[in-house]
Amino acid sequence: MVDDYLRTFKGMFFNVEESEPVKCAINQVGAVLSSIITRYGEIENEISYGTSGQDDFVNMVICLFVRKIMEQLDAINVLYSVGLFTQAQIILRSLIENIISMKFILKEDTKKRAAAYSLEHHYQEIELGDELFSENSNYRNMLLENGRENQFNDGYKQYKKKKAAFERIIKSKEVFQQVDNDRKAKLKQKQGHNKKKKIYIQWYEVCSNASSFYGLMKEVGYEQYYRSIYGGLSYETHALNSTMDKSVDENGISLKYIRNPVGGSSTFSLACTFSMVGLVTLSEYLNDGEEEKQEFREFFRVFQENRDIVIHNLDMIKDAQSSKEDQENIEL
């Protein structure tokens, strides 16, 4: 099915289906990403069915990471299938964050780090509720001034229920109580340095000296990638690259296609690289035996061969239509 806007604005959008060489290269992307997703799925099954012999709580947290990584690789695959290479960078950035976070959790002090991560969204919800329903809240005053007291009261009741439920969660595990105490101590320490400014704390600050994502990458030995990779991906995330969609040559200024199939090798390569980091980390967590390690080495060998072919083919796409010479260089 072709959406109406692709027909209406045919000169604005590139249609992958109308270029066999580009379609071939993109199908190869799908095959490689599919092999990675399948590998993660097999690991998720291994952990879910309890054959890993690890702590049940940690297993649950790691399974959720694995599922999220699979979801994000799937999203990149879908975006690539229609030529949306640039937009895949947003997903790639989040994918890297998840893989680095998982690697940090599994590095050491794993149960506490897993607990800190799993509690974080609860803390954020409670802190938001504290802010919205305080006496000086602009949200509260706006609702009451506009006669929406019932809406405020209903929201306040839900907030109180959530807060009570969260307090029960904290009491349910000793490791949650430890994280909660350490988090409060860290907040108090940071507040002492700046009593006027609102203090924020990241989940990984509770169990390390890292206070930023750069610090987190440094904790796991990947700080060298921060500026060259993670920083560069911020352009698309923060809407700083709109003016890059134009080309300037001897004929003047022209606009690039939407769904421009050029330059897709870097995002694809990075997705592969960090996905392998995640798979190696999980293999170490599962304490694979020699037979499993040998099987993984063979998988990695085949994966590398196929990945390199795809990178070559993506690099052969020099423009939206791709020249005849470039088409002949695409490996089938």
Side-chain angles (χ1 to χ4, degrees):
M1 183 181 73
V2 178
D3 292 309
D4 289 342
Y5 59 84
L6 292 179
R7 297 191 186 95
T8 304
F9 302 103
K10 190 172 183 178
M12 188 180 297
F13 287 85
F14 176 73
N15 189 345
V16 169
E17 297 298 322
E18 295 178 355
S19 175
E20 193 60 34
V22 174
K23 183 179 178 181
C24 173
I26 287 176
N27 286 342
Q28 291 173 337
V29 169
V32 172
L33 292 181
S34 177
S35 71
I36 302 173
I37 295 169
T38 299
R39 194 77 186 188
Y40 273 100
E42 292 170 349
I43 290 174
E44 197 273 345
N45 283 341
E46 183 177 348
I47 299 174
S48 294
Y49 291 123
T51 57
S52 70
Q54 303 287 345
D55 180 87
D56 288 343
F57 167 69
V58 175
N59 279 349
M60 179 194 70
V61 173
I62 299 307
C63 273
L64 293 174
F65 268 109
V66 171
R67 290 174 64 88
K68 180 57 67 175
I69 291 168
M70 292 172 68
E71 178 183 53
Q72 289 167 333
L73 287 170
D74 177 53
I76 291 173
N77 190 24
V78 171
L79 289 170
Y80 262 66
S81 71
V82 293
L84 287 167
F85 297 170
T86 303
Q87 288 68 31
Q89 292 176 9
I90 299 174
I91 310 298
L92 175 61
R93 172 173 160 152
S94 183
L95 174 71
I96 292 174
E97 289 176 343
N98 276 298
I99 291 171
I100 292 297
S101 295
M102 182 180 70
K103 187 171 179 63
F104 170 75
I105 289 173
L106 293 179
K107 181 183 176 185
E108 61 189 26
D109 204 8
T110 297
K111 193 168 184 179
K112 183 180 178 183
R113 292 181 174 188
Y117 179 84
S118 65
L119 291 175
E120 180 59 24
H121 74 93
H122 293 293
Y123 282 118
Q124 292 184 8
E125 289 175 356
I126 297 303
E127 288 171 0
L128 178 61
D130 290 341
E131 184 177 329
L132 291 177
F133 296 107
S134 67
E135 291 187 2
N136 298 323
S137 166
N138 291 331
Y139 171 77
R140 175 183 184 275
N141 294 335
M142 182 270 292
L143 291 181
L144 297 181
E145 289 172 2
N146 287 277
R148 295 157 67 181
E149 186 174 352
N150 288 340
Q151 182 179 343
F152 173 81
N153 290 335
D154 289 343
Y156 184 68
K157 288 178 183 177
Q158 291 299 318
Y159 153 70
K160 295 293 286 184
K161 286 181 180 179
K162 171 66 181 177
K163 195 167 186 176
F166 183 51
E167 290 173 355
R168 290 194 294 272
I169 290 173
I170 295 296
K171 293 177 182 178
S172 68
K173 288 182 179 293
E174 184 178 347
V175 68
F176 288 166
Q177 295 171 36
Q178 183 183 359
V179 167
D180 191 55
N181 290 333
D182 290 351
R183 190 176 190 275
K184 288 174 179 175
K186 182 77 74 169
L187 280 169
K188 186 176 181 180
Q189 179 186 13
K190 294 182 75 173
Q191 189 70 59
H193 297 298
N194 194 333
K195 295 184 178 180
K196 294 182 179 180
K197 187 177 179 181
K198 183 174 180 180
I199 301 300
Y200 296 92
I201 187 170
Q202 303 289 348
W203 65 272
Y204 43 78
E205 291 185 69
V206 178
C207 0
S208 73
N209 293 321
S211 58
S212 65
F213 194 75
Y214 172 77
L216 189 63
M217 294 188 80
K218 189 174 182 179
E219 283 280 334
V220 296
Y222 283 83
E223 69 273 18
Q224 70 272 23
Y225 288 98
Y226 184 81
R227 292 192 182 279
S228 59
I229 297 176
Y230 185 81
L233 297 176
S234 299
Y235 291 124
E236 179 67 18
T237 304
H238 299 302
L240 296 174
N241 62 348
S242 294
T243 56
M244 295 170 66
D245 284 338
K246 68 178 186 294
S247 298
V248 181
D249 55 29
E250 63 275 7
N251 298 317
I253 299 175
S254 60
L255 298 179
K256 298 178 182 178
Y257 275 104
I258 298 174
R259 300 189 178 184
N260 181 32
V262 177
S265 64
S266 59
T267 298
F268 169 77
S269 177
L270 287 172
C272 289
T273 297
F274 278 93
S275 294
M276 284 302 115
V277 170
L279 287 176
V280 171
T281 301
L282 288 166
S283 176
E284 293 170 352
Y285 172 67
L286 294 172
N287 196 24
D288 285 345
E290 187 53 40
E291 184 178 346
E292 289 88 352
K293 290 178 180 177
Q294 180 58 39
E295 193 272 332
F296 181 79
R297 283 192 287 268
E298 177 60 19
F299 163 80
F300 185 64
R301 183 189 66 79
V302 175
F303 158 78
Q304 280 186 308
E305 292 177 357
N306 293 331
R307 178 203 61 192
D308 292 346
I309 291 172
V310 173
I311 290 173
H312 166 80
N313 289 345
L314 290 173
D315 284 339
M316 286 299 100
I317 304 172
K318 302 301 183 182
D319 56 54
Q321 301 304 330
S322 194
S323 69
K324 182 178 179 181
E325 181 182 354
D326 292 335
Q327 293 177 23
E328 291 174 350
N329 286 328
I330 289 180
E331 299 180 28
L332 299 177

